[in-house]
Amino acid sequence: MASIIDIKEECALHVRDFEFTYKGSSAPSLKKVTMPIARHSITALIGPSGCGKTTLLRSFNRMHDLYPGNSYGGEIEFEGRNILTPKEDLIQLRTKIGMIFQKPTAFPMSIFDNVAYGMRLQGIKNKTELNDRVEKALKDAAIWKEVSDRLKHDANGLSGGQQQRLCIARAIAVEPEVLLFDEPTSALDPISTQGIEKLVIELKERVSIIIVTHNMQQAARVSDYTGFMYLGELIELGQTEELFVTPKEKLTQEYITGKFG
Amino acid sequence: MTAVQKRIVINKIALTLSTLSALIALAFLFWILGVLVMKGISALNWNIFIFEGAPPGYAESGLKHALVGQAILIGMATAIGVPLGILAGTYLSEYGKNSKLAHTIRDISDIMMSAPSIVIGAFVYAVVVIPMGHFSAWAGAIALGIIMIPVILRTTDDMLQLVPGELREAAFALGAPKYKVILSVVYRGAKAGILTGVLLGIARVGGETAPLLFTSFNDNFFTTDLNAAMPSLTVTIFNYATSPYEDWQQLGWAAAFILSMFILGLNILGRVILFAGKKGK
Amino acid sequence: MIDKIFFNFTRLSALLILVIVAWIFVVLFNHSLEAMNTFGLDFITRDEWAPNLDKFGAYAAILGSIISTTLAMLLAVPIAVGVAIFLSEIAHDKIKGFFGVSVELLAAIPSVIYGMWGLFYFVPIIRDIFGGLGIGLLAAGIVLAIMILPFMAAVTRDAMNTTPDILKESAYALGGTQWDVIKDIIIPYAKAGIIGSLILALGRAIGETMAVTFVMGNVHHVPGSILDPTTSIPVTLANEFTEADSSLYFSSLFGLALTLLIMSFVVIAVAKFYFLRKARRAS
């Protein structure tokens, strides 16, 4: 039986009996996952590869819908409704729940246009408003100083760490409620990684964050809550400190002490 | 209408247009394929394989001359193009590698692959037909062989490069000389790929008409004389289809059908071999 | 010893391709010298092509080549890009596989068959709609467009498919629609590859002989409209090479062949060495 902490604070998302099955697969990849996500805090998802942590993360913004044939079960509650219903407006949902990927994904356009992209999609055309919000987003993503004099340059000229911060700026520019991070530092060097981690912690003042990481130290450094997943199930969700120091489940203990994975 | 709604509408319109263009393209292509199959099958009969060409109006006329001529031309072109293409591809992959010369050869052969085939015909006319004084199967085969070389060269180069370096090293470690490593290890590893390249090369030249128009020319009668003009399916299609005689046009459709099936068959076979080769690994 | 012989065999075969290409240029050049010396620049600027008077001006043929390929490109490019978008982004997996392979196989069908179909099935339609003969620039442009379409769509799709999934997903994650992702991400990302593919198809279209020879007519006049029969370089070569009866006539045909080779060589080289190389470097 899983050991799931009861979160007292307000929740941004609530996963209940969630199941996910990939196209053509007979067994679900995620089984009966129930998990509260605390608001304005950082929840990390850890577990060996193939445990389903990225699959769960990509369910929050219905990314799986890009590939037909996948199916959801159970519910994920966000802003008082179940977002897994067919009538859910995915465009709206994705502007509320942003995502950062394993690798920097600078679009083939200028730095400015990258950050402005999401806002333009929402129909913001006013130059001053765009300028202001792009500047603010870049400042919030701690990259303004490095790029303020070359906003019109191609974003692909930036370093990997800079590009990843640019992607964060792009995601926060549309003022989402939740940000999903899918192993955001796996392609970065240690110094860039440090910068991103610092940024993630600062961001939780304004957004709720879920971060998938293959790096247990990273989970321990940045998160408030940690969920340990194994073979498609959430084994344990607890406050990060407790989970790493006094895990309630035997599997969790074996994993964090390096017995497998 | 909000900006988002507008985007959704534009999205629907754009995707519908793309789908529509795909349907239009498909409709045209299946129209052509449909005509080819209907006309071709209705014109097929045993006489086609038994009789050679005859003047219009003769019941006993067929395509034997063109089928045999086509086979001879393709066979000779293969005999010219395949060894040269494979050897040249071997040089690029095993010796030249990233040298400037190797890259130049790759670039030039890439261009050759898309160069107008009728120009190759003109070239062969100048260097073979004029000195010989007449059209010949040799000239046609040389023209097709020249067109084939770059196709075989590039696939051989690509396929040999896919053979893992450890395999070569393992053979070298046993003391084998380089040519033996290539012949017995590298070629064996790339067997399926090279075979596919050869089949696609044959399919490519099998459908060529333009380079044959003034090299092997055409003949309405059966011949195996390599020093004389040689009939081919493609030129026969051209001559019969542009003739005013209905029975010749019928034969033209039959020839077109047989030729297309042959070429599609080679293409499909090539894919199957490559797919099976990949799966086997 | 054997090692050395084998090496030299492979190297000679590889060098042979360079020799052949150079040889083609030299032979075509030498054989067209007589026409060049006789006519000079008039060869490409005058449209009087009169074998009985030994006067050869290739203007009409060159213009016919340019107009017919331009027409074919205008018709084929939008549809090919639409097909490529359909194949890479819209179609479900099964349709994608089936349709994708069909397109590739259709690209392998000999062009003589497209020409034959055009003559028997498309020319009558044009005749019914517009009157006149039916054969001419319009018929040639359309048949050429249909013939080049599968190849063009297949290579354009391949170029679009180089866009990393993660980049597309990032745009979806910001609330983009499929079309937003296509126009803002895929097309800009794969721009060099797409343009290169289209130009490569253009290079093939210029040199295409059989698809147009059936439906172009062979009249050495600058056409008054796209419904008029005219000629193009490959059409002239296909129709007249075996009929040439004077050395100046032959030389003029070789001059046409050389012109065609240079035109297609330049176009293909631009596609390969500028756009497609840039695309490969980017990905």
Side-chain angles (χ1 to χ4, degrees):
Chain A
M1 210 28 229
S3 155
I4 311 294
I5 192 177
D6 189 23
I7 290 177
K8 300 280 189 298
E9 17 177 342
E10 202 182 337
C11 281
L13 287 148
H14 222 295
V15 184
R16 291 188 194 94
D17 291 332
F18 178 65
E19 298 213 321
F20 180 82
T21 314
Y22 278 109
K23 179 191 174 185
S25 150
S26 52
S29 297
L30 291 175
K31 290 159 228 158
K32 297 273 173 206
V33 173
T34 293
M35 177 180 195
I37 308 286
R39 192 160 180 266
H40 288 192
S41 62
I42 301 173
T43 305
L45 289 173
I46 60 169
S49 44
C51 69
K53 53 194 194 296
T54 294
T55 304
L56 177 59
L57 191 80
R58 288 163 66 89
S59 303
F60 292 120
N61 63 349
R62 301 266 305 261
M63 220 51 185
H64 297 296
D65 289 52
L66 295 179
Y67 309 96
N70 302 322
S71 63
Y72 304 100
E75 69 167 46
I76 296 178
E77 187 192 316
F78 175 63
E79 293 183 333
R81 66 179 190 280
N82 177 10
I83 58 167
L84 297 178
T85 61
K87 65 174 200 287
E88 177 67 28
D89 178 347
L90 297 187
I91 292 179
Q92 285 299 343
L93 178 71
R94 288 172 187 159
T95 58
K96 291 256 169 90
I97 301 182
M99 189 167 202
I100 310 295
F101 293 78
Q102 305 95 307
K103 277 193 235 156
T105 54
F107 294 154
M109 47 181 91
S110 73
I111 293 170
F112 183 91
D113 290 340
N114 257 282
V115 183
Y117 188 75
M119 293 183 277
R120 286 194 172 127
L121 285 182
Q122 291 183 5
I124 299 169
K125 290 203 183 87
N126 184 311
K127 275 234 166 80
T128 11
E129 186 181 357
L130 278 179
N131 283 338
D132 291 350
R133 284 178 63 177
V134 167
E135 183 176 337
K136 183 167 185 303
L138 287 169
K139 279 179 175 157
D140 290 345
I143 191 186
W144 173 251
K145 276 190 198 131
E146 292 153 72
V147 301
S148 62
D149 57 338
R150 46 175 170 154
L151 292 176
K152 296 286 163 214
H153 289 219
D154 186 353
N156 281 295
L158 298 174
S159 72
Q162 287 173 324
Q163 283 191 29
Q164 195 61 304
R165 275 178 285 152
L166 179 73
C167 292
I168 295 175
R170 189 172 67 195
I172 58 180
V174 294
E175 295 171 349
E177 298 291 320
V178 180
L179 268 185
L180 310 171
F181 287 83
D182 185 8
E183 303 194 8
T185 60
S186 60
L188 302 181
D189 61 85
I191 292 177
S192 303
T193 299
Q194 221 176 9
I196 300 287
E197 287 181 3
K198 190 163 160 259
L199 182 56
V200 170
I201 294 169
E202 284 165 16
L203 284 174
K204 75 170 171 179
E205 301 295 320
R206 291 181 291 138
V207 289
S208 315
I209 289 167
I210 308 172
I211 179 169
V212 161
T213 176
H214 60 276
N215 177 334
M216 277 184 272
Q217 282 76 34
Q218 183 168 66
R221 282 193 298 265
V222 302
S223 70
D224 304 299
Y225 297 93
T226 297
F228 167 64
M229 295 183 70
Y230 185 63
L231 296 178
E233 288 178 62
L234 181 65
I235 304 298
E236 180 166 355
L237 173 73
Q239 287 197 312
T240 298
E241 217 161 295
E242 282 176 29
L243 185 129
F244 279 105
V245 180
T246 54
K248 295 199 170 60
E249 298 288 325
K250 193 159 165 275
L251 266 172
T252 314
Q253 191 189 356
E254 282 174 2
Y255 182 69
I256 61 178
T257 51
K259 288 215 174 100
F260 70 93
Chain B
M1 199 153 63
T2 67
V4 174
Q5 283 168 327
K6 205 166 132 194
R7 275 198 297 127
I8 292 171
V9 172
I10 293 175
N11 179 52
K12 285 230 169 84
I13 295 172
L15 296 191
T16 310
L17 285 178
S18 296
T19 312
L20 213 60
S21 62
L23 288 176
I24 292 173
L26 206 61
F28 267 103
L29 296 169
F30 277 97
W31 181 9
I32 295 173
L33 222 53
V35 163
L36 181 67
V37 171
M38 305 276 266
K39 280 278 189 179
I41 289 182
S42 74
L44 274 186
N45 58 57
W46 286 116
N47 281 358
I48 282 173
F49 302 97
I50 298 169
F51 296 111
E52 50 192 320
Y58 273 64
E60 295 186 341
S61 78
L63 293 167
K64 188 175 88 174
H65 62 301
L67 289 166
V68 173
Q70 181 85 13
I72 292 174
L73 286 171
I74 292 181
M76 288 167 73
T78 308
I80 297 168
V82 167
L84 286 174
I86 290 182
L87 283 175
T90 306
Y91 173 78
L92 294 184
S93 161
E94 304 301 309
Y95 298 102
K97 291 180 181 138
N98 282 319
S99 70
K100 222 172 164 190
L101 175 67
H103 278 301
T104 312
I105 291 171
R106 283 186 191 110
D107 290 343
I108 294 292
S109 80
D110 273 359
I111 294 185
M112 279 289 288
M113 235 189 285
S114 297
S117 56
I118 196 160
V119 171
I120 311 285
F123 164 71
V124 173
Y125 183 89
V127 298
V128 181
V129 177
I130 293 179
M132 277 180 94
H134 50 81
F135 301 116
S136 66
W138 284 109
I142 289 170
L144 295 184
I146 290 176
I147 294 169
M148 207 173 193
I149 293 174
V151 183
I152 308 276
L153 176 152
R154 285 301 266 149
T155 38
T156 305
D157 181 18
D158 289 345
M159 292 303 158
L160 295 189
Q161 284 186 28
L162 289 180
V163 176
E166 300 87 51
L167 227 58
R168 293 185 182 84
E169 283 163 19
F172 278 126
L174 293 171
K178 188 155 184 171
Y179 81 95
K180 264 205 173 136
V181 173
I182 294 171
L183 290 178
S184 59
V185 177
V186 182
Y187 281 168
R188 192 164 298 171
K191 208 167 48 185
I194 296 176
L195 187 56
T196 298
V198 169
L199 292 175
L200 293 181
I202 295 174
R204 168 71 205 276
V205 301
E208 286 288 352
T209 315
L212 298 178
L213 288 172
F214 29 89
T215 52
S216 57
F217 195 58
N218 199 21
D219 193 333
N220 211 13
F221 301 102
F222 183 84
T223 174
T224 50
D225 181 0
L226 302 183
N227 285 313
M230 172 77 67
S232 60
L233 271 179
T234 50
V235 180
T236 301
I237 292 172
F238 180 51
N239 287 347
Y240 280 7
T242 50
S243 80
Y245 315 111
E246 191 145 336
D247 55 337
W248 273 19
Q249 291 174 4
Q250 287 292 318
L251 280 175
W253 283 113
F257 177 73
I258 295 169
L259 180 70
S260 302
M261 291 307 117
F262 170 68
I263 285 170
L264 288 183
L266 281 177
N267 269 282
I268 293 169
L269 188 63
R271 275 157 208 277
V272 169
I273 289 173
L274 199 61
F275 186 70
K278 261 187 202 149
K279 228 179 170 181
K281 267 168 205 163
Chain C
M1 181 59 192
I2 304 176
D3 228 15
K4 211 150 191 186
I5 295 172
F6 184 77
F7 166 72
N8 281 319
F9 259 117
T10 66
R11 193 169 63 165
L12 280 178
S13 308
L15 289 172
L16 188 65
I17 190 116
L18 298 182
V19 172
I20 290 175
V21 172
W23 196 9
I24 291 174
F25 272 99
V26 170
V27 165
L28 295 184
F29 182 82
N30 280 341
H31 281 264
S32 52
L33 263 181
E34 188 184 345
M36 285 195 261
N37 288 334
T38 311
F39 303 114
L41 261 186
D42 282 356
F43 182 67
I44 52 171
T45 56
R46 300 215 10 208
D47 77 326
E48 188 186 14
W49 184 274
N52 51 339
L53 303 172
D54 247 356
K55 284 209 167 141
F56 299 98
Y59 182 68
I62 295 172
L63 195 68
S65 278
I66 293 173
I67 298 176
S68 60
T69 30
T70 308
L71 208 57
M73 290 300 281
L74 287 178
L75 293 168
V77 165
I79 296 185
V81 171
V83 174
I85 289 174
F86 178 80
L87 283 178
S88 70
E89 293 304 309
I90 302 175
H92 288 234
D93 284 354
K94 272 183 195 155
I95 300 174
K96 203 183 282 184
F98 170 74
F99 195 3
V101 172
S102 312
V103 166
E104 284 167 28
L105 289 179
L106 283 163
I109 296 240
S111 60
V112 66
I113 283 154
Y114 286 90
M116 190 177 179
W117 169 84
L119 178 65
F120 286 109
Y121 287 86
F122 210 76
V123 166
I125 294 177
I126 295 181
R127 196 161 43 213
D128 289 348
I129 298 176
F130 299 102
L133 290 169
I135 54 171
L137 272 178
L138 183 64
I142 293 174
V143 173
L144 197 52
I146 295 170
M147 192 225 84
I148 201 71
L149 189 62
F151 174 77
M152 197 187 259
V155 284
T156 307
R157 172 205 56 187
D158 292 345
M160 287 185 177
N161 279 346
T162 59
T163 314
D165 280 344
I166 194 171
L167 207 58
K168 297 189 235 168
E169 288 178 0
S170 302
Y172 284 117
L174 285 166
T177 62
Q178 252 181 316
W179 178 243
D180 292 325
V181 174
I182 292 164
K183 80 172 166 33
D184 297 332
I185 310 299
I186 297 174
I187 293 180
Y189 181 87
K191 196 170 56 190
I194 293 170
I195 296 174
S197 306
L198 296 176
I199 298 178
L200 189 62
L202 167 67
R204 288 203 165 187
I206 293 177
E208 175 50 42
T209 308
M210 299 323 289
V212 288
T213 298
F214 282 90
V215 297
M216 182 76 113
N218 184 28
V219 183
H220 282 272
H221 275 302
V222 174
S225 87
I226 56 167
L227 291 171
D228 289 348
T230 178
T231 192
S232 71
I233 300 177
V235 171
T236 306
L237 291 174
N239 280 306
E240 299 181 27
F241 217 93
T242 53
E243 289 171 2
D245 48 11
S246 77
S247 73
L248 188 58
Y249 197 172
F250 260 122
S251 178
S252 302
L253 291 171
F254 277 108
L256 277 183
L258 182 64
T259 312
L260 179 64
L261 181 62
I262 291 171
M263 282 166 71
S264 69
F265 218 83
V266 169
V267 170
I268 297 163
V270 167
K272 286 265 176 202
F273 302 145
Y274 185 71
F275 291 104
L276 294 179
R277 184 158 296 171
K278 199 162 127 185
R280 210 173 331 134
R281 238 182 256 139
S283 64

